[in-house]
């Protein structure tokens, strides 16, 4: 095992539970090497308080809401409005064209 480092990590909840920090214990072959508090972001990653979201379903070719959304592999979004979701494919096409033009510029094809 020469030249290899093994590190195990454990995240331990504080007692009583505290949503702002957790104890982090790192070990190297069982010996503690770092102990401390790390901040934890406990908010949801979406802004679920703003109401529903809209998605464009690439399988059904329609706008879907949080209530009837297909699996993530079939949708684009979320979008703040049904109109934004309905225009998702147009936005994808515009971005693809811009990226392709940028790639061509970088490759020296557009000079």
């Amino acid at each position: 095992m020469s030249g290899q480092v093994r590190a195990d990590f454990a995240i331990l909840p504080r007692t009583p539970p505290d949503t702002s920090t957790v104890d982090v214990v790192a070990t190297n072959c069982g010996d503690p090497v770092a102990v401390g508090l790390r901040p934890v972001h406990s908010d949801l990653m979406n802004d679920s308080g703003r109401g529903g979201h809209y998605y464009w379903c690439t399988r059904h070719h329609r706008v879907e809401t949080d209530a009837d959304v297909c699996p993530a592999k079939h949708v684009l979004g979320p979008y703040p409005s049904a109109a934004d979701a309905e225009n998702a494919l147009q936005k994808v096409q515009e971005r693809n064209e811009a990226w392709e033009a940028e790639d061509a510029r970088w490759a020296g094809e557009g000079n």
Side-chain angles (χ1 to χ4, degrees):
M1 229 169 126
S2 178
Q4 295 181 358
V5 176
R6 178 174 170 233
D8 299 316
F9 294 91
I11 298 177
L12 307 172
R14 295 183 57 75
T15 307
D18 180 349
T19 59
S20 61
T21 59
V22 294
D23 290 324
V24 177
V25 179
T27 62
N28 184 9
C29 297
D31 297 323
V33 292
V35 178
L37 296 178
R38 300 290 184 261
V40 175
H41 190 283
S42 60
D43 294 339
L44 294 176
M45 293 197 58
N46 64 22
D47 41 342
S48 58
R50 275 191 6 196
H53 294 102
Y54 300 87
Y55 306 83
W56 179 257
C57 179
T58 59
R59 183 169 32 167
H60 298 112
H61 306 286
R62 68 177 184 207
V63 173
E64 296 179 345
T65 65
D66 288 327
D68 67 349
V69 68
C70 282
K73 68 182 181 178
H74 297 295
V75 297
L76 301 172
Y79 296 96
S81 71
D84 288 339
E86 193 167 354
N87 294 321
L89 291 179
Q90 179 182 349
K91 190 65 151 179
V92 167
Q93 181 179 355
E94 291 169 2
R95 288 179 178 164
N96 285 344
E97 289 171 358
W99 291 334
E100 287 170 5
E102 184 67 10
D103 287 347
R105 188 180 72 78
W106 271 90
E109 298 170 10
N111 292 338

